[in-house]
Amino acid sequence: MEIRFQPALLQEVIDSFVEKTEREGDPTYYKEFHEYADPIYEKFILEDREGEFKKLYQYLFGTWGFSDIIRDSFNEYPILKEKVGIVLVKGVLKEDQEGVDILRKWGSVEKELAREFEEKGMKGVGIKLIPRRFYDPALTRYCRHELMHISDMIDPVFGYDPDTKVGQNPGEETLILQRYRVLWSLSVDSRLVAAGKEPMLSKEDRFKEFRSWYRKIPPPQLKSVFEGLWQTSYFTHSELIEMATDTLRVMDRAVDVEGGELPETENKIMLMPGFPCPLCRFPTYSWVEDMANKVEPYVLDFIRENHPGWDIEFGACDRCVEVYKLRADGVM
């Protein structure tokens, strides 16, 4: 497996690390850098210096252990060392631009490179990092977490399919994909903890993230559901998609836990934000819940007359309820 680092990234990492350590009172790296850099100005003409500095940055990047962080992360995943032919590591400016992915999802140059290795039965992986990440202790667990995602994507058992279509509209698709990401990351960190390795986020932080995306599940049930997910050793791509699409399938994963409560999911319907209202078919984030107590019986009967087969358990958006009340009252 070949690992290539973007030259501009190497320079940025070394320069910023030298400046940082000197500012913090450790001149060791500053002195070592200038021990090699100053003679370049003395021995080489202007046209040749750029090439010499590239060699210097590459040498120090390896000697100071920055390249080992990436290489050691891949060593934890035998399937990656076997099936990945090349890794490109490049720098980005912002944290929200960082990521680890299969090369085909990147630019045209990366796609061509990926195609070369795919013809050999191998994959190409791309890593985008902000330069200061290399002297952040969190880089090791970040790479470990992200590379388990890549390991899943390459594993035939996981069955990853980037072309899976979800949702009936853009809002619903966004919601499902966000929940898919949360569930997959939860699974990755739980497996890392089970293997005795440091996860990207702790179990407590994963629970907070999970809770923010499943607020409709009552707290005692949420605790049991999360524990069931955390204890599951492996999820496939299709299972994650199914759970991200249907909250009841997530709730089916609940287990007995102290302070928790097993939910009753049989014949239950969840009114999820962004999903289409059964009356108007438009996505809604404003469901009218507990309709038996909040909506007058004659209005419910009027809705049933106009929508045979509908009942209060299917829910409705607040706009439809208001419109049908006006129609039932003869106003519209």
Side-chain angles (χ1 to χ4, degrees):
M1 182 180 68
E2 179 184 357
I3 301 180
R4 297 182 189 176
F5 293 90
Q6 180 187 38
L9 172 64
L10 304 186
Q11 179 176 346
E12 182 63 30
V13 170
I14 296 301
D15 286 347
S16 57
F17 183 66
V18 166
E19 189 274 332
K20 171 183 178 293
T21 50
E22 185 192 25
R23 185 178 66 249
E24 294 174 347
D26 180 3
T28 305
Y29 298 98
Y30 176 86
K31 291 179 180 179
E32 183 175 357
F33 174 78
H34 282 281
E35 179 183 341
Y36 292 105
D38 291 348
I40 293 177
Y41 290 104
E42 300 170 2
K43 297 179 180 179
F44 296 93
I45 61 175
L46 183 63
E47 289 79 5
D48 296 334
R49 289 175 189 168
E50 182 178 355
E52 293 301 315
F53 271 109
K54 282 185 178 180
K55 295 177 186 177
L56 173 58
Y57 284 119
Q58 188 172 18
Y59 168 75
L60 293 177
F61 193 83
T63 301
W64 291 353
F66 294 121
S67 59
D68 290 340
I69 300 173
I70 305 298
R71 195 173 301 278
D72 291 347
S73 297
F74 275 91
N75 288 338
E76 296 187 18
Y77 298 99
I79 190 174
L80 295 184
K81 295 194 69 178
E82 175 187 340
K83 295 189 175 182
V84 173
I86 188 166
V87 180
L88 297 185
V89 187
K90 62 189 298 185
V92 291
L93 298 176
K94 302 176 182 178
E95 289 187 19
D96 60 5
Q97 297 174 325
E98 290 184 307
V100 181
D101 214 332
I102 301 297
L103 279 181
R104 261 192 193 286
K105 294 188 175 183
W106 287 18
S108 58
V109 174
E110 289 83 358
K111 286 182 180 178
E112 289 299 319
L113 194 57
R115 188 175 290 111
E116 290 180 23
F117 280 89
E118 285 175 356
E119 290 174 355
K120 304 173 185 177
M122 307 184 82
K123 293 287 187 181
V125 170
I127 301 177
K128 298 179 181 179
L129 297 168
I130 52 177
R132 70 173 182 273
R133 181 75 72 183
F134 280 89
Y135 40 88
D136 179 350
L139 177 58
T140 297
R141 68 173 185 264
Y142 174 83
C143 288
R144 179 184 295 127
H145 176 94
E146 292 298 325
L147 289 181
M148 184 173 279
H149 281 292
I150 299 297
S151 180
D152 284 346
M153 294 166 71
I154 291 177
D155 185 356
V157 176
F158 183 75
Y160 182 71
D161 180 7
D163 298 320
T164 302
K165 302 299 181 184
V166 297
Q168 300 180 25
N169 54 72
E172 188 177 341
E173 178 185 31
T174 298
L175 176 67
I176 292 172
L177 292 179
Q178 287 286 4
R179 287 183 168 174
Y180 176 89
R181 177 190 61 80
V182 168
L183 294 169
W184 193 8
S185 293
L186 185 161
S187 172
V188 166
D189 276 346
S190 71
R191 282 181 277 162
L192 289 173
V193 170
K197 298 176 181 178
E198 186 180 11
M200 184 63 189
L201 292 181
S202 67
K203 182 178 180 180
E204 292 73 21
D205 287 335
R206 284 297 175 199
F207 176 73
K208 293 176 183 177
E209 182 182 51
F210 176 73
R211 181 178 59 193
S212 70
W213 286 96
Y214 288 92
R215 295 186 179 278
K216 284 188 173 289
I217 302 177
Q221 297 180 11
L222 191 72
K223 187 174 182 180
S224 294
V225 172
F226 175 81
E227 192 61 37
L229 295 170
W230 188 265
Q231 292 180 14
T232 301
S233 59
Y234 193 79
F235 288 115
T236 64
H237 170 75
S238 60
E239 287 174 328
L240 291 172
I241 287 291
E242 182 183 40
M243 291 189 297
T245 304
D246 186 351
T247 299
L248 294 180
R249 300 292 70 79
V250 176
M251 296 172 71
D252 285 339
R253 299 285 177 171
V255 296
D256 278 317
V257 61
E258 184 178 354
E261 177 185 315
L262 292 177
E264 293 287 343
T265 59
E266 188 175 356
N267 299 323
K268 185 175 181 180
I269 295 175
M270 297 294 290
L271 308 179
M272 304 310 299
F275 281 24
C277 166
L279 304 182
C280 66
R281 295 298 178 184
F282 286 103
T284 181
Y285 292 85
S286 301
W287 291 97
V288 176
E289 301 187 51
D290 193 18
M291 296 184 71
N293 296 317
K294 292 183 178 178
V295 182
E296 295 85 346
Y298 74 92
V299 177
L300 298 177
D301 289 339
F302 186 79
I303 296 175
R304 292 188 185 98
E305 291 174 9
N306 286 271
H307 293 273
W310 177 90
D311 212 334
I312 55 175
E313 65 186 44
F314 297 110
C317 67
D318 57 355
R319 189 177 185 86
C320 279
V321 171
E322 181 181 356
V323 168
Y324 279 100
K325 185 179 186 309
L326 292 173
R327 289 179 179 175
D329 290 337
V331 177
M332 293 180 64

